[in-house]
Amino acid sequence: MASSLLFTVRRREPVLVAPAKPTPREVKLLSEIDDQEGLRFQIPVIQFYRYDPSMAGKDPVEVIRKALAKTLVFYYPFAGRLREGAGRKLMVDCTGEGVLFIEADADVTLNQFGDALQPPFPCWEELLYDVPASQGVLNTPLLVIQVTRLKCGGFIFALRLNHTMSDAAGLVLFMSALGEMARGMHQPSIRPVWRRELLNARDPPRVTCTHREYEQVPDTKGTIIPLDDMAHRSFFFGPKEVSAIRGLLPPHLRQCSNFEILTACLWRCRTIALQPESDEEVRIICIVNARAKFDPPLPSGYYGNAFAFPVAVTTAGKLFENPLGYALELVRKAKADVTQEYMHSLADLMVTNGRPHFTVVRSYLVSDVTRAGFGEVDFGWGKPVYGGPAKGGVGAIPGVASFYIPFKNAKGEEGLVIPVCLPSDAMERFVKELDNMLNNHVQLAKRGFIVSSL
């Protein structure tokens, strides 16, 4: 079975790749959205590429390494290091030191991965080496890239990003530029734009919106997920699965987006699986890209974080006892909260409240990267067979997040693959609950709550 696939990766020593030409030596402030506590972590991405006969004789490691040096001339802040100033303000010291680059070879072919081209990936730690002393947020390289050649002539491009620098859309701008330089262009088709001041706090700051996603909730019942016995699984949702969930909804809600419907479904199943007490508050946090919410919109080359974490809050009992439409209405309202004013209010909150972490107690966070463009990144060998987040559950507090990733399954069906991270016993209950829902056997409020032992 591909998920038990074992292979050996031979790595060269990590090297620093600096910009190909001198770049400005300056200090650039991050925005108030960038430097919040909940983004102070590293996020991994992975891309799998097939052998392309038209590229015979070209080495992906060398092509990408050279292109990286050229791309960093335009994206030179990535070659710097983060520093922290007064009031925990983050800034990039544009030192030009460079990003970490690792050359590797694996004794495996792309076909041997079989259906395992979805998170969690076999031998993941070998495909993106955790370079010692590189994990910190401050004073360390902002990007780590490993290119691993495969026996078949294909390759794997894996990257780890300091999330304070960019969100998915911003990272894809950088990766696309890297692809363009690898294919011979002399400058990116979309020029990068720093302009982080566009998402800074107002003077004086004024919090005008409700931001329950940053409420400091005490974890009285010990329900932050333990990390020692975590199960990682991915679930595929194609047209058939989405249609089955849609069929559970009243007619007036059947036109909702796939994201909204799947989010309501997963939130409900996950809450049931975690077995909280019925009076406990539970939260769904939806990542909403705010680029188009601005008038005028943010510049197309803006590669900073430009999203919000709007939240819906209810009790576990209400989520459990009500039909799926109840959860769906909550998800829709949370998404609609995000406006230009909401983003300014959020920036102001960061300054007045000490850059807090979003609430993780009994929270589930979902991020839709289907439109981010990971699947379009081309280094000359065509589009990736898989492109996107390397695993679910990542974050400053692990185990809370899932990504919605575009995916084509073995039958050729287009859909989404969604990695979920839960304690092992909860994962078993989650699978059972999801199966019930997909088979239209939703038994609402027929089971009593079991007091959480988590």
Side-chain angles (χ1 to χ4, degrees), residues 64-75:
I64 292 171
R65 190 192 332 241
K66 284 180 182 157
L68 180 57
K70 293 174 184 170
T71 308
L72 288 172
V73 173
F74 300 93
Y75 283 88

Side-chain angles (χ1 to χ4, degrees), residues 219 221-226 273-276 422-423 425-426 429 451-454:
D219 187 22
K221 307 274 174 84
T223 42
I224 284 187
I225 291 175
L274 286 170
Q275 299 180 328
L422 282 169
D425 57 344
R429 293 190 291 269
V451 177
S452 172
S453 60
L454 299 178

Side-chain angles (χ1 to χ4, degrees), residues 303-353:
Y303 62 102
N305 291 284
F307 66 87
F309 292 102
V311 68
V313 185
T314 186
T315 63
K318 285 182 182 168
L319 195 61
F320 193 49
E321 291 153 13
N322 279 295
L324 183 61
Y326 171 78
L328 180 56
E329 297 272 26
L330 288 173
V331 168
R332 295 187 76 198
K333 182 183 179 313
K335 276 181 63 192
D337 284 346
V338 180
T339 59
Q340 180 167 345
E341 180 59 30
Y342 187 94
M343 295 304 290
H344 289 310
S345 172
L346 173 54
D348 295 347
L349 177 90
M350 288 297 136
V351 169
T352 56
N353 285 32

Side-chain angles (χ1 to χ4, degrees), residues 210-215 282-286 309-313 330 333-335 337 342 359 363-364:
T210 305
H211 299 281
R212 292 200 65 188
E213 62 271 31
Y214 294 98
E215 285 178 334
V282 293
R283 294 158 182 266
I284 183 76
I285 299 171
C286 304
F309 292 102
V311 68
V313 185
L330 288 173
K333 182 183 179 313
K335 276 181 63 192
D337 284 346
Y342 187 94
T359 312
S363 293
Y364 181 40

Side-chain angles (χ1 to χ4, degrees), residues 28-47:
K28 293 174 111 47
L29 295 177
L30 293 186
S31 81
E32 253 73 77
I33 306 299
D34 292 322
D35 63 11
Q36 57 186 296
E37 186 63 35
L39 296 184
R40 297 184 182 206
F41 71 98
Q42 311 280 351
I43 190 154
V45 165
I46 193 164
Q47 313 271 117

Side-chain angles (χ1 to χ4, degrees), residues 171-339:
L171 174 58
V172 168
L173 279 172
F174 170 78
M175 289 170 63
S176 299
L178 180 55
E180 288 175 340
M181 305 304 252
R183 299 197 314 271
M185 286 178 60
H186 297 294
Q187 59 183 43
S189 57
I190 299 175
R191 294 296 282 259
V193 174
W194 185 258
R195 299 289 312 276
R196 304 292 167 110
E197 72 281 359
L198 292 170
L199 287 172
N200 272 354
R202 297 172 283 204
D203 187 14
R206 51 187 192 277
V207 179
T208 52
C209 301
T210 305
H211 299 281
R212 292 200 65 188
E213 62 271 31
Y214 294 98
E215 285 178 334
Q216 298 309 296
V217 179
D219 187 22
T220 52
K221 307 274 174 84
T223 42
I224 284 187
I225 291 175
L227 300 178
D228 48 356
D229 180 30
M230 297 299 277
H232 291 257
R233 280 192 59 176
S234 279
F235 298 87
F236 177 75
F237 292 87
K240 184 171 70 119
E241 288 79 9
V242 175
S243 177
I245 300 166
R246 221 177 265 279
L248 300 172
L249 296 165
H252 73 284
L253 289 177
R254 285 184 192 158
Q255 300 311 308
C256 293
S257 71
N258 288 358
F259 172 83
E260 292 163 346
I261 288 169
L262 286 174
T263 299
C265 164
L266 292 173
W267 182 28
R268 198 167 178 282
C269 291
R270 187 178 181 275
T271 304
I272 291 168
L274 286 170
Q275 299 180 328
E277 293 179 22
S278 60
D279 62 342
E280 288 187 82
E281 271 191 351
V282 293
R283 294 158 182 266
I284 183 76
I285 299 171
C286 304
I287 298 284
V288 173
N289 182 346
R291 281 168 169 74
K293 309 281 184 187
F294 286 82
D295 184 18
L298 292 179
S300 59
Y302 186 87
Y303 62 102
N305 291 284
F307 66 87
F309 292 102
V311 68
V313 185
T314 186
T315 63
K318 285 182 182 168
L319 195 61
F320 193 49
E321 291 153 13
N322 279 295
L324 183 61
Y326 171 78
L328 180 56
E329 297 272 26
L330 288 173
V331 168
R332 295 187 76 198
K333 182 183 179 313
K335 276 181 63 192
D337 284 346
V338 180
T339 59

